[in-house]
Amino acid sequence: MIYKIFKILIIIFIALNTAYAQELLPPIQNYKPTLYNAASQNWDIAVDDRGVIFAANNQGLLEFDGLSWELHKLESGSIIRSVFPKGERIYTGSFREFGYWQTDEKGKMVYHSLSELMTGLELQSDEFWSIESLCETIYFRSFGGVFKYENNEILKVQNHISTAMEVFKDRLVIAERSKGIYYLTNENTRQELEGDLSDLEGLNIVELFALNDTLYIGSKNSLFIFSEGELEKIEDTVLNEFLSESELNHILSVSVEKVLIGTINNGVAEYDLDTKELRFYNRIEGLQNNTVLGMSYHQGNLWLALDKGIDKLDLDSPLKFFTDDSGELGAVYDIEEFKAKTYLASNTGVHTFQNGKMRLLEGSQDHVWNLEIVDDQLFVNHNTGIYQVQNDQFIPVKKRTGSFCIVQVPGSESLYLLGEYTGISIYDQITGKVREIEGVNFPVKQIVFENDEVLWAAHPYEGLYRITHNNFQNVEVQKLPALGETENYRVNLYKLNGQIICFVNANWYRYNPFKETFEEFKEFKDLKGFRLLQDTSDYFVFNNEEDGSILFTDFDKSKLALSASLLDNRLVKANENLIRPNDSTYYITLNDGFAKLDFSAFQVMDSEEWESVAFIKKFGDNDDYYDLTSSPTLKYRTSGNIRVQVGAPDLNLDELSYRLKGEEEYTGKIGSDGWLNLRNLSSGDYALEIIHESEQDSEKVLAKYSFAIAPPWYLSAWMKALYVLLFIALIAVVFLINRKKLRKHQQKLEEKFENEHQERLARIEHDRLVNEIDLKRKELANTTMMAAKKNEVLMEIQSELSKDQNSFSNQYRMKHIMNKINAAVKSKDEWKVFETNFNEVHEDFFKDILAEYPKLSSKDLKLCSYLKMNLSSKEIAPLMGISVRGVEVHRYRLRKKMALESDVNLTKFLIKNF
């Protein structure tokens, strides 16, 4: 009993010692149950041809497309025990249930149960623990037997207690409890393997794994290899003792010399058949759980289904990590390999790292900015001063103030400049004396020599200084003005090919000594935002300050990028550092340790990288998801928020984007959960492209999906047809209205023309009548005046005759003459002619005036007519055959008959009103 306990302690000590000696580990990614939102326990895990991960979980089938997790549950809610991708189908086994999952045309995983095909196969409490395929035949195993699914039929082909099965050399190998292994023939009979397998008798075989012509056989405490008819047990004390304590559960072989062993109690062991080296990956190294229930290997990645969670180990990664979870190391700022040891400068001090062991140098506690090997001596720029490391002793050089850097003076073997918190000091190594340079009273983080008499100093915060000196005496300090629109904050200084170069405000500048000013550094114009970390003869290394990635370039053909996500975003922000101890290795400082990059492996990995894929899993709008095999047309009312789920196994999300082509082109990033939303798109045809773009590769379209958005109902085809009809009808109505208006207008024009014509004729007639009337008026006036003149003459004759009446002898004759003259003056015929002519000129005059004044006599009417003609009393008197006085009297009487006021002019009254 004591021996057994001692033996267990020895094994544990060996395992722990081996584990801690392997502190540099590949990247380990933990996927916790809270992340994938399902049960903790996962029984099996597998990877399909695209790189999509499927895990058999206590709550159903877990799917991981590289961006998001999704749980697919069975209707019964049963635990899924096994999973096996085959083409487009994902076969799963559970309690008395077997079937496959397949995505429908809308991207939804749909389960197709095959349990009805097992009717009559005497299933009891069978749970199906493993699935394999041989050509197109699917085999699935429970402890009660092995079943075959072929041609839509399920048969039970083995009826014994089976503990494992595997396809080996195109035949199915089955392990039967305590009875070894055998082939299952096409006739479902047992056939022994060629060779001596007696060592397997009585063992409980828990796992079989085939790689090419080699079959790996595992019991709980032993590992066997069967190849070319020979069975070999791995006789390795450490391995076998480890297996006996850890309990082997799964085997994977990733190469002819490397075997991965999943255990129940101690995670995963990586065993090298050639070197007998055993490496452990368990909870101490970063796994979530030590119980490995399933394993799958794909493109260098080892996927583990654990009793708690799912983990991924990137075994082929060129990056190996040292992580200090204790906090003793802290953030690492610099690394140097010096005299067969690795020295780490961190915010807690200087640590040595050798053979997986880390130790703090005594006296080095506090913040360390960087390490410098100058002339085969290791110097430490410390928060309390500058120190030298000799035989792991921390020896002070100067302790008055903290220091940032140490630079050897060109042309001198013993003089060094120290960039300190308060200025610059000069250190003579031979004498050990340190002298502060007067005139420099500001912090100096970097020092670069332009020539023997000029040096450049970078303030950690406030800019750039040019310092001229005479053997570091008579110092003249010149502060450079701001480069660009902002102050020179956090300047980085370099000397490349004899030129002073600086990086400030994300831009590169070169000092022109002839113009004594900085100008754009055109050679680095495409590296805006990239800070230089390392320059060697073959590669320049830059840090992208925006996304944290590291770029390796030779400015010719080679261009490699290391994304920040591959470093788990653990770079020391604003103090990123990269150290190259040899041609094939880089150290990268991290905020809780460091990473070691095998640059040769990184170059090979980049050139031979597996062709990753991206695909569109779902495409839908506010109503539903759409057929992924067609080009759907979405309704406008539901297309306000288009949802697209993207899967991208083995791809860096930072290098993944989308481009939407339509009337306009849109680009953007895909969400961390694999979803992207396209909002408020206008109607039209679109093409969605999933794009992968990295620093070293040109843009590549990985997936494409075409769709269209129908116009809104008021712009649909039938509405457009209606609009056309309405437009045509409107045109017809407008045409008819215009035609009617035109006709009406034409009619009006005709009427107008006719009226104008009639008016013109009337005017002509009027003018003719007016002329005629004028002519008649003139004639009337003439005849009237002639009549008046005649009567006047006659009356004058009569008057003269009356004077000499007694002188005439023949009185009778005289009287006869007088009567004739009197008759001539008062001739009615003459009045009728006048009346006729007057009525022609002044129509209805007599009628109108009689209508107004019916009591007027004919003599009154005669006077009115003469007055209408605007004749004076003198002119009227001869016409009426009376005297002027008689006319006036007559006029007076007429006014009275007409009842006119005294101020009313009778002539004007008649002319105006009648």
Side-chain angles (χ1 to χ4, degrees), residues 490-591:
R490 296 185 62 85
V491 177
N492 289 271
L493 270 175
Y494 309 90
K495 189 172 185 179
L496 299 178
N497 298 325
Q499 300 182 90
I500 302 299
I501 310 297
C502 76
F503 177 76
V504 58
N505 298 326
N507 293 301
W508 285 97
Y509 299 92
R510 176 183 71 89
Y511 181 69
N512 188 330
F514 300 103
K515 297 181 180 180
E516 295 185 351
T517 184
F518 277 90
E519 58 190 20
E520 181 187 4
F521 187 39
K522 295 182 179 178
E523 287 82 349
F524 284 5
K525 66 179 180 180
D526 294 331
L527 292 167
K528 180 179 174 65
F530 286 78
R531 180 170 64 89
L532 183 63
L533 300 180
Q534 179 89 212
D535 65 286
T536 60
S537 58
D538 52 352
Y539 273 95
F540 287 79
V541 186
F542 295 88
N543 171 241
N544 187 334
E545 292 191 325
E546 183 177 353
D547 61 19
S549 62
I550 296 176
L551 174 66
F552 301 81
T553 178
D554 60 1
F555 289 101
D556 186 15
K557 296 179 180 179
S558 182
K559 192 176 183 182
L560 306 173
L562 186 65
S563 69
S565 61
L566 292 178
L567 296 167
D568 203 21
N569 296 302
R570 293 163 58 189
L571 289 169
V572 184
K573 195 67 177 175
N575 286 281
E576 298 87 352
N577 199 7
L578 183 139
I579 304 93
R580 189 180 190 182
N582 54 61
D583 290 343
S584 61
T585 302
Y586 284 95
Y587 285 117
I588 303 171
T589 59
L590 304 175
N591 54 28

Side-chain angles (χ1 to χ4, degrees), residues 197 215 331 355 391 468 509 514 789:
L197 300 176
L215 181 64
N355 298 325
N391 299 321
T468 58
Y509 299 92
F514 300 103
K789 197 65 177 173

